Amino acid sequence: MKAAVYKGIGNIVVEEITKPSAGKGELLVQVKACAICGGDIRTFRHGHNAIQPPIVLGHEIAGVVVEAGEEVDRYKVGDRVIVAPGIGCGHCAFCLSGRQHLCYTRKTIAHHYNGGFAEYVLVPANAVAAGNVNFIPGEVDYLSASLAEPLACVINGQEAIHIQLGDTVAVIGAGPIGIMHAELAKAQGAGKIFLINRSSKRLETARGLFYDAYIDSSKDDAVQAVKDLTEGMGANIVIVTAGSATAQNMGIQMASKEGKVCLFAGLPKDNPMLNFDVNFIHYRQIALYGTFSSAPRHNALAIEMIRSGKINVDQILTHVVALEDICCGIELVENRVGLRVAVVPNLTDIQDDLARHDKIIIAKP
């Protein structure tokens, strides 16, 4: 089968590798679409301490079951599915409480097992047994379904901060994750949503979503702008999706008293420290939340949010590339062209999907 194999930093090669077969408890899924995550880009450029190349990256997977191994009862050939990539041990306190993403011995598809930048992906038995495979509703196409995994991470982030009806939510970062956060906050009844970004181009892309304010932090003092928009109080909820110490400090400073700040993105591993005024946190009773990844239940909820139309995927998925053009897709993401980019092993397989998303651009080198 054809796969984009990560050979090491800066080196992905599209080549023929052995097509796997489904063994006991396993599923073989034909990949229809696999979106490119910022984590894929970081691995490509800088490596990852949990990844030993050669390996196939890609964990935002939507496809169809083509083989179901012995003792697989819930799934059958022809089922349209998405795959939650994080696989917990199944018996620790975190797994038993539905927080498998925090399992200390978690394994991950595209880290420990080959991922979805290929014509087929083998879903291991431990993932099948743990409920990591969710069905795609009939109304949802494969391209839309490929956004379920990043949306699941967004749902996990907002589950922690408990947005209330009428909250003022400031989202820093107008990339695909920031837009998902803003859309989910809207769906949960946020009163006002402010979108903040240092690129006016990204902000312009999101103007059709009609948020309450668009703030260009490269031109304006974003903290003061949020205060001006809230009669000096600040935002009840601040979600920082940019992996930047400047953005994280900005987020803390624009929080209201008893505000909640979600540090959704990490910082570079060679400079992960954040300096801020602890007294500001203390006297304003601000709560900081770190959130990471998602559990299979978040994945199931994400596909339902997409099915219901509460998350506007048409605004988020902007480009498609063929598998052999994956490096073109990586360049699009790095250059912040559009928003989410999906890799498609066989474009002829998803012609109906492409027709439903008539604004999607099929990019080529």
Side-chain angles (χ1 to χ4, degrees):
M1 69 174 185
K2 186 167 57 178
V5 182
Y6 170 66
K7 305 277 190 175
I9 293 174
N11 186 12
I12 285 181
V13 178
V14 178
E15 61 186 15
E16 288 290 327
I17 65 172
T18 302
K19 177 184 172 183
S21 296
K24 182 178 178 180
E26 298 176 334
L27 292 174
L28 184 65
V29 172
Q30 183 182 12
V31 178
K32 298 295 186 178
C34 185
I36 300 175
C37 173
D40 297 320
I41 304 299
R42 287 190 294 275
T43 298
F44 177 65
R45 291 300 180 194
H46 307 289
H48 191 293
N49 57 12
I51 295 176
Q52 296 296 321
I55 194 170
V56 178
L57 302 178
H59 57 271
E60 300 182 1
I61 302 164
V64 60
V65 174
V66 293
E67 289 181 24
E70 183 184 350
E71 296 187 8
V72 174
D73 299 321
R74 188 181 179 204
Y75 308 96
K76 64 183 184 303
V77 172
D79 284 341
R80 302 165 67 246
V81 296
I82 50 174
V83 183
I87 309 161
C89 69
H91 56 260
C92 71
F94 290 116
C95 287
L96 293 174
S97 63
R99 296 175 290 164
Q100 294 94 327
H101 58 296
L102 297 178
C103 175
Y104 281 102
T105 58
R106 186 181 80 146
K107 302 294 184 183
T108 306
I109 291 171
H111 287 186
H112 304 92
Y113 309 95
N114 277 337
F117 293 150
E119 292 183 294
Y120 299 89
V121 61
L122 184 68
V123 184
N126 53 350
V128 177
N132 285 60
V133 181
N134 288 304
F135 297 106
I136 301 174
E139 310 96 303
V140 180
D141 60 83
Y142 291 112
L143 291 172
S144 298
S146 71
L147 295 183
E149 195 283 330
L151 178 57
C153 298
V154 168
I155 290 170
N156 174 53
Q158 293 200 17
E159 185 178 80
I161 56 179
H162 298 292
I163 292 174
Q164 303 293 312
L165 289 172
D167 274 344
T168 296
V169 179
V171 178
I172 300 177
I177 296 298
I179 299 298
M180 286 186 189
H181 267 295
E183 289 293 286
L184 185 58
K186 184 193 297 183
Q188 296 196 96
K192 292 182 179 179
I193 297 172
F194 308 146
L195 189 63
I196 302 160
N197 201 77
R198 64 182 181 182
S199 163
S200 57
K201 184 177 180 181
R202 274 280 170 90
L203 288 174
E204 286 302 318
T205 301
R207 284 198 182 272
L209 294 166
F210 304 109
Y211 301 132
D212 296 275
Y214 295 82
I215 302 168
D216 184 345
S217 59
S218 70
K219 299 177 181 177
D220 301 314
D221 182 335
V223 173
Q224 188 60 50
V226 170
K227 289 180 178 179
D228 291 344
L229 289 162
T230 57
E231 299 181 345
M233 293 180 62
N236 308 110
I237 303 286
V238 182
I239 302 169
V240 187
T241 70
S244 154
T246 299
Q248 292 185 353
N249 273 311
M250 182 194 307
I252 292 169
Q253 292 167 27
M254 66 177 60
S256 68
K257 289 184 178 181
E258 293 194 329
K260 301 173 184 177
V261 181
C262 175
L263 303 180
F264 190 82
L267 295 177
K269 61 184 179 181
D270 57 347
N271 189 21
M273 305 304 291
L274 185 65
N275 294 315
F276 56 84
D277 183 350
V278 174
N279 285 336
F280 184 85
I281 302 289
H282 173 68
Y283 288 109
R284 294 174 69 88
Q285 292 191 191
I286 293 171
L288 299 182
Y289 295 80
T291 62
F292 161 77
S293 192
S294 64
R297 62 186 175 85
H298 298 125
N299 195 256
L301 182 54
I303 197 67
E304 171 57 23
M305 295 292 287
I306 292 170
R307 185 207 64 78
S308 69
K310 289 183 171 64
I311 302 299
N312 190 338
V313 294
D314 282 334
Q315 291 280 352
I316 299 166
L317 187 61
T318 58
H319 292 75
V320 161
V321 295
L323 180 60
E324 57 266 26
D325 297 329
I326 188 171
C327 289
C328 171
I330 289 171
E331 289 179 7
L332 290 173
V333 177
E334 288 184 313
N335 294 326
R336 293 177 169 82
V337 178
L339 291 172
R340 212 54 161 193
V341 179
V343 175
V344 174
N346 190 337
L347 287 169
T348 60
D349 278 356
I350 60 159
Q351 290 303 308
D352 290 343
D353 292 19
L354 290 169
R356 293 176 68 176
H357 299 273
D358 57 356
K359 295 182 181 178
I360 282 182
I361 298 169
I362 301 174
K364 298 180 180 180

